[in-house]
Amino acid sequence: TDPSAIVDVFITHGRETIKGRGLQGAKAVLGNGLLTSEGDVHLRHRRLVQPAFHRERIASYSTDMAVLTEEHERGWREGQIIDMQSDMSTLTLSIVGRTLFGADLSGDAHEVGESLAALLDGMGRYLALGPRVLSLPAPGRNRALAASTRIDQIVHRIITEHRAQGDTGDMLSLLLQAQEDGHGFSDDQVRDEAVTLVLAGHETTAMALTWTWMLLSQHPERAEWLHEELDTVLGGRTPTMDDMSQLPRSRAVIAESMRLYPPVWLQGRRMLADAEVAGWTIPRGALAFASQFALHRSPRWWESSLAFRPQRWISVDGTFSEDAPGQPRGAWFPFGWGNRRCIGEQFAWTEATLVLATLAQRWSPQLVPGANIEPMPAVTLRPRAGMPMMLRQR
């Protein structure tokens, strides 16, 4: 829980580590994609996938992000009670489908949502057991296996459709055509990367948005602060990538939400060699864990650490900055650290900001009175029983 020690493990000694048991266990579902692969395989795959997340690509995705959000909004009704967790998952799945795979996944949203819930329930408590997790007779194992099969079927359908259509300019087309030194992805490798991006790419952003709506409901003065920016900058129009720099409060609200409720709440590394860290010798083979949830809420590094204060992310010049709160390096890492930092970080920032800006212009969802919201630390940090909210127009 010391920032300097976290930097030592995840950056200074980063190349002398591999992923911890949790993500090793996730190979049972994700295969050997970017999130779970190691060494030369990971570096090669990252180089092949990286062009899909260049700024120019994200700018092209941003139009679909906003359009799909407005299409989703048409299903919202004044006074309607929804599970915001499920609702945001449906929206972010449609965005991942359209932007990264050129596919309409709206018809698959319910099945993917149920399958993902079964996976998290069946695997979340057991991933620390490692890659053999799904071979063990544990509660939820059969549901998790069936859920993994259903997701595989959806992903293989998308890949087959792409092979028939040819290059459609999306990320999956890049995967199918990617080459390095004459070598590209095999069908199994394309499947692994696609499943990783379908699951990791929409679940984390959906959870960030879910907790954001809860916090805005609980702090109406912060919501009003956000609404002032949206009314001034956008005035009711659809936000675009060009607006991102003009929406510092929107980004600050997302950042503060991820500080208090980081979708990825814990990460671990297995040491491949002895390492001196903060005066201790961490031996080869040991597991080192760092918790975003613990560090982001520590009063040692954050003023009013448990308070929802998005203003802390605004610099004196009025711009958004991840350094504005003054926390030391290593106390803030919602997207991980070092050579395993999330490749989709800028995609996620853009998506979350545009979704929030689009919907919060016209809506102020309210937490249903009496709702018992309990964080569930599984693969991601989810509300244990969903997030019941009533839709209210501004």
Side-chain angles (χ1 to χ4, degrees), residues 78-112:
E78 169 67 22
Q80 178 184 5
I81 295 178
I82 64 172
D83 176 7
M84 190 60 79
Q85 172 184 298
S86 176
D87 192 83
M88 289 297 100
S89 291
T90 296
L91 173 56
T92 57
L93 180 64
S94 68
I95 289 173
V96 165
R98 178 80 62 84
T99 57
L100 299 185
F101 300 101
D104 181 1
L105 296 184
S106 58
D108 300 304
H110 180 71
E111 184 171 2
V112 171

Side-chain angles (χ1 to χ4, degrees), residues 270-275 280-287:
R270 184 180 293 279
M271 310 305 296
L272 297 178
D274 292 355
W280 295 80
T281 298
I282 301 182
R284 178 180 182 273
L287 289 168

Side-chain angles (χ1 to χ4, degrees), residues 274-352:
D274 292 355
E276 293 297 318
V277 176
W280 295 80
T281 298
I282 301 182
R284 178 180 182 273
L287 289 168
F289 290 95
S291 170
Q292 289 94 326
F293 189 89
L295 267 291
H296 291 183
R297 288 169 168 250
S298 173
R300 289 183 292 170
W301 321 117
W302 303 88
E303 182 182 352
S304 302
S305 61
L306 299 183
F308 179 60
R309 292 179 52 188
Q311 292 93 331
R312 75 175 81 232
W313 300 95
I314 303 299
S315 300
V316 292
D317 62 359
T319 61
F320 169 84
S321 171
E322 293 186 64
D323 297 322
Q327 77 280 6
R329 189 180 186 219
W332 163 251
F333 53 114
F335 293 95
W337 268 115
N339 63 326
R340 302 305 298 256
R341 193 178 180 104
C342 175
I343 195 172
E345 177 176 356
Q346 291 309 311
F347 181 98
W349 270 118
T350 303
E351 178 184 13

